[in-house]
Amino acid sequence: MHTPSDTIEMYLRAKDLNRPHLIAQAFAGGALLQMEVRQGDEQAPACTLGREAIAETLVRNFGRAYENAYTFCLTEPPAPACADFHCLWLSAMTDKENRAVCVAGGQYHWRFAPGNRLAQELRIVIDTMQTLPPADILPVMAWAASLASPWCPVERALATAPPIPAVWQVMQRLAPAHLAIA
């Protein structure tokens, strides 16, 4: 049986590995994608309708701009029967054109179809995006590669984050309560 967790994992595999054909295993045919950019230079349509348009936006366009992508949901997987799921996300990637390192974070808001549990709606909020020089690729990518994928407790991401100010700015936006305790 396909679960919401399967849907989210398939979407992340499609996006991060540039495999648009996998979108059919994550989104219902008439799915709705909404994107809200609160910080960063990301250019994306506010609203996209349909599986093919979502594949173009989230996989093909993303794949033209970025490589070495790692995306994490900073929580436990959703319950198999859930209809809605909200979580924080964290991404690290490199820009194909200038080799800059990008670290971003925000929120996913999922609504799943009854029955097949594919995504009917996904709202992606980009709360923060930091661009780092190419010299930071090794520590950032080593960190990203060491995290459990795609379900990573926020505490683990915080505890192992490299001591780079831009990375900590992203983490502070994602988990301010955890940083206050640390």
Side-chain angles (χ1 to χ4, degrees), residues 16-27:
D16 286 356
L17 300 176
N18 193 20
R19 294 185 176 153
H21 71 282
L22 296 178
I23 287 295
Q25 297 174 50
F27 288 89

Side-chain angles (χ1 to χ4, degrees), residues 26-84:
F27 288 89
L32 172 67
L33 167 67
Q34 297 175 308
M35 293 189 67
E36 179 183 343
V37 180
R38 294 182 179 167
Q39 180 188 16
D41 298 330
E42 188 68 26
Q43 301 295 317
C47 189
T48 303
L49 185 62
R51 192 183 282 152
E52 187 56 32
I54 290 170
E56 189 66 27
T57 299
L58 294 180
V59 181
R60 291 184 189 98
N61 291 345
F62 181 85
R64 284 192 262 290
Y66 299 107
E67 60 190 1
N68 300 312
Y70 293 87
T71 304
F72 308 93
C73 294
L74 299 177
T75 188
E76 295 293 320
C82 80
D84 297 290

